[in-house]
């Protein structure tokens, strides 16, 4: 629990609750999306890939705007409020807008669904994570300490979403709406006071200044890993629930087991979010990124090589180790190497936009690969591509010393008071 800065405990608790509810809603709405598209909606692998591609194209268009607006308004909670309102519409959107469109016109359904899901759960999750990281640096608590509650929220939903999906997928969508309604009073109750000097700098930021990050060589070195390894990993993970369920006697049994496993994986992930800052502090952010990416490659290739429910479950559990290390490493890498005024822009353009761009291109290609070659062969091809990008990332990423949560080298951080109330480097 954070101490030392006035309001730290209150804001930590409320932002933790916000993350819990948002990721609860995300799990309820999105964790069985691939199965919902290929089951009740009757889409082929290629059509499902097209739908995912539309989600990421829409998110790609939103992310630069989210990034600039987040940097421009600083610690004002306008972006979280907007996203909360969008989440609250889930129960109406999926059954009454998205499903009818997909059943009558896949292209129209993909376009409308892409806009909603991109704004709400794809680009929206990155915008919220950037906001929480920014507030954490202002009030002296580690981003991952609040983010672990997001993992617990996702896991809590995953415990029963599989069974509820088998009863009626609409129940999960309405649960997401209830969580969205609760998000609004939670964020309004926070008392986040911006540092006057930092807020003035934020409000003076212009779009032209934000675009200067594109001329930074370090930014493009960072993007080698993001555009390469992590994008290939995410496109692999999109239709993984379908492959997982296929290893059980019936799809219904596979759906239930995936819900249980997803829940267990995320509870372990939450524990790892407590440990990940210590790991990254010892290894440095660059090595943390490479370790996380290596685990991704092992999981992709391993999924092609195992052939039993136990084996594929063990591959799924690797995600609980990789994600926390990756998340902490990304924020510390950004904090150390880039101007603090552009923290949200770099995260939302570099990481989130980079993911959406890559996935918009890769989703239909990989979806067609599943139809043509099957999951195992396609997974091996994805793993080979990810390995090539991992090797390139070893040279492209900039050297990063061991740092604290604020991006300061440890030898410098250790000479300063532990309760330093000043805004952190990534504000």
């Amino acid at each position: 629990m954070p101490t030392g800065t006035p309001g730290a405990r209150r804001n930590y608790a409320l932002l933790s609750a916000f993350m819990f509810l948002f990721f609860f809603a995300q799990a309820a709405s999105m964790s069985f999306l691939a199965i919902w598209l290929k089951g009740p909606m009757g889409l082929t692998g290629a059509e499902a890939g097209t739908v995912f591609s539309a989600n990421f194209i829409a998110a790609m268009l939103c992310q630069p705007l989210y990034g600039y607006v987040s940097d421009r308004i600083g610690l004002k909670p306008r972006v979280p409020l907007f996203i909360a309102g969008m989440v609250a519409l889930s129960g109406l959107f999926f059954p009454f807008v998205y499903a009818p469109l997909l059943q009558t016109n896949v292209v129209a359904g993909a376009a409308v669904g892409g806009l909603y899901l991109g704004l709400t759960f794809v680009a929206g999750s990155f915008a919220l994570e950037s906001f929480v990281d920014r507030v954490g640096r202002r009030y002296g608590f580690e981003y991952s300490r609040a983010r672990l509650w997001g993992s617990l929220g996702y896991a809590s939903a995953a415990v029963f979403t599989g069974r509820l999906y088998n009863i009626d997928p609409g129940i999960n969508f309405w649960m997401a709406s209830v969580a969205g309604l609760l998000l609004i009073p939670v964020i309004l109750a926070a008392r986040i006071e911006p540092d006057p000097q930092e807020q003035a700098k934020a409000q003076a930021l212009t779009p032209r200044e934000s675009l200067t990050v594109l001329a930074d060589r370090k930014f493009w070195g960072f993007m080698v890993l993001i555009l390469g390894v992590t994008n290939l990993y995410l496109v692999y993970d999109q239709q993984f629930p379908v492959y997982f369920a296929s290893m059980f006697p019936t799809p219904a049994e596979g759906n239930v087991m995936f819900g249980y496993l997803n829940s267990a994986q995320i509870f372990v992930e939450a524990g790892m979010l407590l440990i990940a800052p210590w790991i990254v502090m010892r290894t440095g952010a660059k090595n943390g990124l490479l370790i996380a990416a290596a685990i991704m490659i092992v999981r992709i290739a391993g999924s092609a090589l195992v052939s039993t429910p136990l084996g594929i479950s063990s591959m799924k559990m690797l995600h609980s180790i990789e994600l926390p290390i990756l998340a902490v490493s990304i924020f510390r890498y950004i904090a150390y190497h880039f101007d603090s005024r552009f923290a949200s822009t770099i995260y939302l353009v570099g990481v989130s936009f980079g993911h959406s761009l890559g996935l918009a291109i890769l989703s239909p290609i990989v979806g067609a690969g599943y139809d043509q070659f099957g999951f195992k062969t396609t997974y091996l091809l994805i793993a080979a591509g990810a390995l090539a990008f991992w090797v390139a990332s070893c040279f492209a990423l900039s050297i990063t010393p061991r740092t604290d949560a604020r991006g300061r080298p440890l030898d410098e951080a250790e000479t300063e008071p532990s309760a330093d109330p000043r805004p952190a480097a990534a504000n």
Side-chain angles (χ1 to χ4, degrees):
M1 181 68 69
T3 57
T5 304
R9 287 178 177 270
R10 177 191 181 94
N11 290 328
Y12 168 79
L14 288 168
L15 287 179
S16 295
F18 192 92
M19 296 297 276
F20 181 96
L21 290 167
F22 174 80
F23 281 98
F24 180 98
Q26 187 183 64
S29 295
M30 301 287 285
S31 61
F32 284 86
L33 183 60
I35 294 173
W36 183 69
L37 291 173
K38 298 183 77 171
M41 296 300 102
L43 303 189
T44 66
E47 287 173 334
T50 299
V51 170
F52 281 116
S53 179
N55 295 345
F56 291 109
I57 289 173
M60 184 173 62
L61 298 175
C62 302
Q63 284 146 353
L65 180 61
Y66 266 146
Y68 172 70
V69 169
S70 296
D71 280 333
R72 186 78 163 71
I73 65 178
L75 295 179
K76 296 177 181 177
R78 293 173 186 170
V79 169
L81 269 174
F82 171 76
I83 294 171
M86 295 294 286
V87 173
L89 297 174
S90 297
L92 294 173
F93 176 78
F94 280 92
F96 299 114
V97 179
Y98 201 21
L101 280 174
L102 287 172
Q103 291 173 332
T104 56
N105 188 318
V106 172
V107 174
V112 174
L115 180 61
Y116 174 79
L117 295 174
L119 274 171
T120 309
F121 293 114
V122 185
S125 65
F126 286 91
L128 291 178
E129 288 178 327
S130 179
F131 179 80
V132 171
D133 176 67
R134 187 184 292 268
V135 176
R137 294 179 190 282
R138 174 74 176 96
Y139 283 92
F141 59 86
E142 179 84 47
Y143 153 79
S144 62
R145 299 292 194 270
R147 177 60 178 79
L148 75 86
W149 290 99
S151 294
L152 291 174
Y154 199 103
S156 297
V159 168
F160 46 80
T161 49
R163 289 193 177 277
L164 292 177
Y165 175 87
N166 288 336
I167 298 170
D168 181 356
I171 299 173
N172 289 331
F173 301 141
W174 282 109
M175 285 198 311
S177 277
V178 172
L181 290 172
L182 293 174
L183 286 170
I184 296 172
V186 168
I187 194 62
L188 289 176
R191 296 291 180 267
I192 302 167
E193 299 294 335
D195 176 86
Q197 292 182 342
E198 293 296 324
Q199 192 67 26
K201 290 179 182 178
Q203 293 175 347
L205 188 66
T206 65
R208 178 174 293 183
E209 286 179 303
S210 293
L211 290 174
T212 59
V213 300
L214 299 178
D216 191 332
R217 181 189 63 79
K218 289 183 178 180
F219 174 80
W220 292 108
F222 178 53
M223 291 296 287
V224 171
L225 184 132
I226 299 301
L227 289 176
V229 183
T230 62
N231 274 351
L232 287 167
Y233 179 75
L234 290 173
V235 79
Y236 142 83
D237 206 35
Q238 280 176 348
Q239 297 193 40
F240 180 82
V242 178
Y243 179 62
F244 180 90
S246 72
M247 290 197 172
F248 290 82
T250 66
E253 184 180 344
N255 293 343
V256 171
M257 291 306 298
F258 183 78
Y260 290 151
L261 181 67
N262 210 26
S263 179
Q265 174 246 298
I266 297 167
F267 277 118
V268 175
E269 176 186 302
M272 276 298 299
L273 280 163
L274 289 171
I275 301 170
W278 179 85
I279 294 173
V280 178
M281 187 168 62
R282 268 41 181 194
T283 64
K286 174 183 176 178
N287 290 333
L289 290 171
L290 292 173
I291 291 168
I295 297 171
M296 293 178 189
I297 296 168
V298 170
R299 183 187 167 196
I300 298 168
S303 296
L305 300 176
V306 299
S307 57
T308 65
L310 180 60
I312 198 65
S313 298
S314 66
M315 293 299 104
K316 172 66 173 169
M317 290 301 293
L318 286 176
H319 189 67
S320 61
I321 302 172
E322 160 268 316
L323 180 63
I325 297 173
L326 179 70
V328 174
S329 298
I330 284 174
F331 281 115
R332 292 199 180 186
Y333 190 90
I334 291 172
Y336 184 78
H337 286 292
F338 301 102
D339 190 320
S340 61
R341 293 179 301 158
F342 308 137
S344 292
T345 296
I346 291 168
Y347 186 61
L348 281 150
V349 173
V351 179
S352 184
F353 180 89
H355 283 163
S356 297
L357 176 63
L359 291 173
I361 297 169
L362 292 170
S363 292
I365 297 172
V366 173
Y370 294 144
D371 291 337
Q372 183 71 27
F373 306 112
F375 281 95
K376 288 181 177 291
T377 300
T378 305
Y379 284 168
L380 288 175
L381 292 172
I382 294 172
L387 180 60
F389 278 105
W390 185 87
V391 172
S393 298
C394 292
F395 301 97
L397 290 170
S398 299
I399 295 173
T400 312
R402 298 183 303 132
T403 63
D404 69 354
R406 299 184 174 189
R408 303 170 301 181
L410 284 179
D411 56 348
E412 294 178 15
E414 288 166 357
T415 64
E416 299 188 21
S418 59
D420 185 358
R422 296 179 299 170
N427 277 357

